[in-house]
Amino acid sequence: MARKNRVAVIGASGRMGKAIIQVLSQSKVSELSAAVVSKGSVYLGLDSGLHSGLKQNEILFSDDLSKSISDSDTVIDFSIREILSDVLSACKEFKKPVVVGTTGITETHKELLKETSKMIPIVYSPNMSIGVNLLFKLTEIAARVMGDLADIEIQDIHHRHKKDAPSGTAEKLKAILLETLSRTESNVIHGRHGILPERDPKEIAIHTLRAGEVIGDHTVYFFTPEERVEISHKAQDRKTFAVGSVKAAEFLIGREKGLYDMFSVLGL
């Protein structure tokens, strides 16, 4: 039997890291090689449920970020943006492909991703869910058909713990709309308050809600005087993002250097 693809998970103690580890435990193609909590340390215990359902001998631990990456075939990073440059530097040094799902990254980080992808293959997406990437594609199609006829609004709902707003997914939806309709950031507003002039026909509004334990709901609305089209995705389990992340890691096996997105992974 062929050897499994060995995956280092960076950000293993977070919600997504835990979900990815569970998906890897059930994969026929990939397996966990290291569970890295943060730069310079790894999770070494089983008592908190981080590796619930896994046996001790199924996990090979390392004592630092570089060793975890060098001993793996592929890397999945769902840590924090503050260590993204360190992760990319180690992946570049050891020529390891990497899936980046870290949220809230800056334009500087995006430039770093582009530069690093000239040396190694990278999948970057603000959302790894298969369904959300269908949402992206359907939004692009709807914008081409209805965009100049409709008022467009984006709604982004997440759990009360989420730090960045709007979400990376909402930002991606905005970017798709702006590119498809040849509009700019000057056409974008965030919420509404007070006495406002009549809505500009080219306006795109983003509304952010943070409450409860909502995993992630996104809707794009296209309103015309005669009808309304709503394109929605509602995540019911973080496993959906984890499944997509592992699929992306497996997509990178043997791939040429370059910057890929989930459209590439899913053949969209």
Side-chain angles (χ1 to χ4, degrees), residues 15 157-162 209-215 238:
R15 292 178 178 85
I157 310 176
H158 277 86
H159 53 84
R160 66 196 311 275
H161 315 287
K162 187 169 179 60
L209 287 74
R210 296 287 179 265
E213 295 296 335
V214 178
I215 293 173
R238 283 187 180 82

Side-chain angles (χ1 to χ4, degrees), residues 61-149:
F61 293 105
S62 160
D63 60 2
D64 61 49
L65 182 69
S66 292
K67 181 163 175 38
S68 297
I69 290 173
S70 67
D71 287 348
S72 301
D73 300 313
T74 313
V75 177
I76 300 177
D77 181 21
F78 267 87
S79 56
I80 55 175
R81 66 184 184 181
E82 286 77 11
I83 70 165
L84 178 58
S85 60
D86 294 323
V87 173
L88 292 177
S89 178
C91 289
K92 181 172 63 174
E93 178 183 356
F94 299 110
K95 294 182 169 46
K96 304 295 183 179
V98 57
V99 176
V100 176
T102 300
T103 61
I105 70 171
T106 65
E107 291 302 317
T108 300
H109 289 120
K110 290 177 184 178
E111 286 301 316
L112 181 60
L113 283 168
K114 290 178 185 176
E115 286 302 310
T116 307
S117 71
K118 295 175 182 177
M119 288 156 274
I120 59 171
I122 298 174
V123 169
Y124 167 68
S125 175
N127 196 306
M128 298 291 176
S129 160
I130 293 171
V132 163
N133 281 276
L134 285 172
L135 170 68
F136 292 155
K137 192 66 178 178
L138 291 170
T139 297
E140 178 189 323
I141 293 169
R144 286 203 305 266
V145 175
M146 298 184 67
D148 291 328
L149 306 172

Side-chain angles (χ1 to χ4, degrees), residues 217-232:
D217 292 0
H218 296 90
T219 302
V220 184
Y221 299 89
F222 295 84
F223 297 85
T224 74
E226 301 80 24
E227 60 187 346
R228 179 173 81 222
V229 172
E230 300 178 13
I231 307 174
S232 294

Side-chain angles (χ1 to χ4, degrees), residues 9-23:
V9 176
I10 317 298
S13 62
R15 292 178 178 85
M16 274 303 306
K18 295 174 184 178
I20 290 167
I21 288 169
Q22 289 302 312
V23 171

Side-chain angles (χ1 to χ4, degrees), residues 121-212:
I122 298 174
V123 169
Y124 167 68
S125 175
N127 196 306
M128 298 291 176
S129 160
I130 293 171
V132 163
N133 281 276
L134 285 172
L135 170 68
F136 292 155
K137 192 66 178 178
L138 291 170
T139 297
E140 178 189 323
I141 293 169
R144 286 203 305 266
V145 175
M146 298 184 67
D148 291 328
L149 306 172
D151 295 329
I152 304 173
E153 308 269 313
I154 300 170
Q155 185 178 61
D156 154 30
I157 310 176
H158 277 86
H159 53 84
R160 66 196 311 275
H161 315 287
K162 187 169 179 60
K163 294 181 174 64
D164 56 315
S167 68
T169 302
E171 291 284 358
K172 176 67 173 179
L173 289 166
K174 177 193 74 175
I176 289 169
L177 292 167
L178 293 181
E179 181 177 357
T180 304
L181 298 171
S182 299
R183 298 182 191 175
T184 68
E185 287 287 345
S186 65
N187 299 119
V188 178
I189 68 166
H190 295 269
R192 294 185 179 87
H193 178 73
I195 306 301
L196 302 170
E198 182 177 340
R199 190 187 199 283
D200 186 286
K202 292 190 175 182
E203 185 174 284
I204 296 172
I206 303 177
H207 306 280
T208 300
L209 287 74
R210 296 287 179 265

Side-chain angles (χ1 to χ4, degrees), residues 240-258:
T240 184
F241 309 118
V243 168
S245 300
V246 172
K247 189 176 183 69
E250 292 167 357
F251 165 85
L252 285 175
I253 299 171
R255 194 70 52 178
E256 292 291 323
K257 61 188 177 184

